[in-house]
Amino acid sequence: MRNLIIGSMLLSLAGSIWGAMFIAVRLTVGVITPVALVWMRYGVALVPLVLIMLHQRISWKIERKDWKLMLVAALTGQTISIVTQESGTMLTSAQMGSVITAATPAFMVVFGCLMLHERFNLSRLMSVILATAGVLLIVVDPENLQTGSLLGGIYLCIAAITWALMSILLKMLSHYSVFALTFYGVLISFTVLTPYGLWWLFNEADLNAMAMPQIWGSVLYVGVVSTTAGFVLWSKGLTYMDASIGGLFMFFQPVVGTILGYWLLDEAMTRYFLPGFALISIGVVLAMRGGNTTAEEKLARSRKNGVLYE
C-alpha cells in the first residue's frame, strides 16, 4: 500500500502537469505548428536533463540488449504519440482530444496483462469503465463532437495506443534511472524531428510572434515542466505499481485541463464536472484496493503462457 500511495502521488502530479500543458499549447496556436512545438520542447528539455544527470552523477549507460526497447519506447511515446496528440487536437478540439486519449488506461490494462503478466479481474475492469465514464461526463459536448474531423480522431487514437505501449516498455526498463530513460527518449525524438524543425525555423517561423512572452513562456513550460518533470514523474510513478493501475492517473489530465481552462481562459465548465470527477476518483480507488500483482502471480501467468517472466 505504501508503494501505491507514493506511486499515486507521482502519477497524479504528472497528469496534472500535462493537464496544464493544454493551456500552454493553446497559447501557441497559430504561431508554432504542432510538430515544431514538439521539436522545440524536446530541445529545451535536454538542457535541464543533462544538467541534472551531471550534477547527480547518474549513469548514462544502457545495456546493448535494452537499446531495442529504448528505441521503440522513444519512437512510439515521445515521438509518434506526442506528435499525433498535438496534431489531432489541432484538427479537432482540446475536449475531443481528452475524450479519445482517455482510452489510454484501457490500452495499458491490455498491454500490462499481455506483456507484463499483470492480473486482470473484475475490479480493474470496473475501475477503467467508471473512470472513462467520468471523463466522458466532464468533456463530452455535442457541439464539440460535431466539429471533430475524422483524421483528427484517427491521430488521437494512435496517440492513445502508442502512449500506452511506451508506458509498458518503460516499466520493462525500470531498472535504469528515470532521468536516463527520459534523456535518451527525448534525445532520440529530438534527433528524428530535427530535419523538420530546422526547415520550419528557417522557412516558416514568425520570429517576432515567437518573441512574445506568452509564446516563449509556453515553450519553456512544455519543455522544462511538462517534458522533463512530467516524463520523469510518470516513469518513476510506474515503478511503484502495476501499469494497469498507473494508467488511470492519466485521467487527471483532462480534469486539470478543464479546471484551468475555466479559471484562466473563461471556458465553460459543464454541470457534469463534479459527478464525473467523483466517478474518476471511485475508479482510481477501486483499482488501488486490488493491489499490485505479486511476483508469484506474474511467474504463474508467464509459465502458463510459455514465457519466463523476470
Side-chain angles (χ1 to χ4, degrees):
M1 182 55 68
R2 179 176 179 274
N3 285 344
L4 289 175
I5 293 175
I6 295 175
S8 65
M9 293 175 62
L10 297 175
L11 294 173
S12 297
L13 186 54
S16 300
I17 286 173
W18 291 330
M21 181 188 67
F22 278 109
I23 306 300
V25 170
R26 286 196 58 184
L27 293 175
T28 67
V29 172
V31 178
I32 306 176
T33 65
V35 178
L37 180 60
V38 175
W39 174 69
M40 292 178 68
R41 69 183 281 187
Y42 288 158
V44 171
L46 285 172
V47 177
L49 283 170
V50 170
L51 293 177
I52 290 172
M53 292 187 68
L54 290 175
H55 182 266
Q56 299 293 328
R57 298 181 179 179
I58 297 171
S59 174
W60 303 81
K61 185 177 181 180
I62 300 290
E63 297 292 338
R64 180 178 298 180
K65 64 182 178 64
D66 292 324
W67 266 109
K68 183 178 180 180
L69 284 179
M70 185 71 253
L71 286 171
V72 175
L75 293 176
T76 56
Q78 279 98 334
T79 307
I80 297 176
S81 182
I82 300 300
V83 169
T84 52
Q85 183 186 56
E86 301 286 2
S87 301
T89 302
M90 291 284 288
L91 290 173
T92 55
S93 66
Q95 290 189 338
M96 175 68 82
S98 298
V99 172
I100 298 180
T101 55
T104 297
F107 290 119
M108 288 183 67
V109 171
V110 174
F111 286 135
C113 293
L114 293 177
M115 301 172 65
L116 300 179
H117 307 290
E118 295 177 353
R119 71 165 66 119
F120 181 79
N121 52 32
L122 181 60
S123 176
R124 294 196 177 181
L125 177 62
M126 288 302 300
S127 68
V128 173
I129 292 175
L130 287 173
T132 302
V135 169
L136 293 177
L137 277 177
I138 293 173
V139 300
V140 168
D141 185 318
E143 293 183 0
N144 289 326
L145 294 177
Q146 291 172 4
T147 61
S149 72
L150 177 60
L151 181 60
I154 293 174
Y155 279 152
L156 291 167
C157 287
I158 294 173
I161 296 172
T162 50
W163 184 265
L165 178 59
M166 181 207 70
S167 297
I168 301 301
L169 295 175
L170 287 179
K171 190 168 178 64
M172 296 171 68
L173 295 168
S174 60
H175 49 287
Y176 295 107
S177 164
V178 293
F179 287 101
L181 294 176
T182 303
F183 168 75
Y184 284 116
V186 169
L187 178 63
I188 292 169
S189 301
F190 178 75
T191 303
V192 171
L193 298 175
T194 289
Y196 172 84
L198 292 176
W199 175 86
W200 173 84
L201 187 63
F202 290 108
N203 292 278
E204 292 191 352
D206 185 344
L207 299 182
N208 290 327
M210 291 177 60
M212 295 187 295
Q214 65 266 33
I215 301 301
W216 58 259
S218 296
V219 173
L220 286 177
Y221 179 86
V222 298
V224 177
V225 182
S226 180
T227 302
T228 303
F231 281 11
V232 168
L233 288 169
W234 182 258
S235 299
K236 185 65 176 179
L238 287 177
T239 64
Y240 287 97
M241 63 178 66
D242 287 352
S244 51
I245 299 177
L248 293 174
F249 290 89
M250 282 291 289
F251 289 117
F252 279 89
Q253 180 174 309
V255 170
V256 173
T258 298
I259 294 174
L260 292 180
Y262 174 77
W263 281 344
L264 302 177
L265 301 177
D266 294 324
E267 294 183 345
M269 184 182 293
T270 70
R271 59 182 177 179
Y272 301 115
F273 178 81
L274 289 179
F277 182 74
L279 286 176
I280 293 172
S281 301
I282 294 172
V284 171
V285 172
L286 185 62
M288 291 179 63
R289 286 187 63 185
N292 285 320
T293 307
T294 64
E296 291 77 10
E297 289 177 312
K298 292 178 179 179
L299 182 59
R301 285 179 174 80
S302 64
R303 286 173 173 171
K304 182 179 179 180
N305 296 330
V307 179
L308 180 59
Y309 180 86
E310 297 180 354

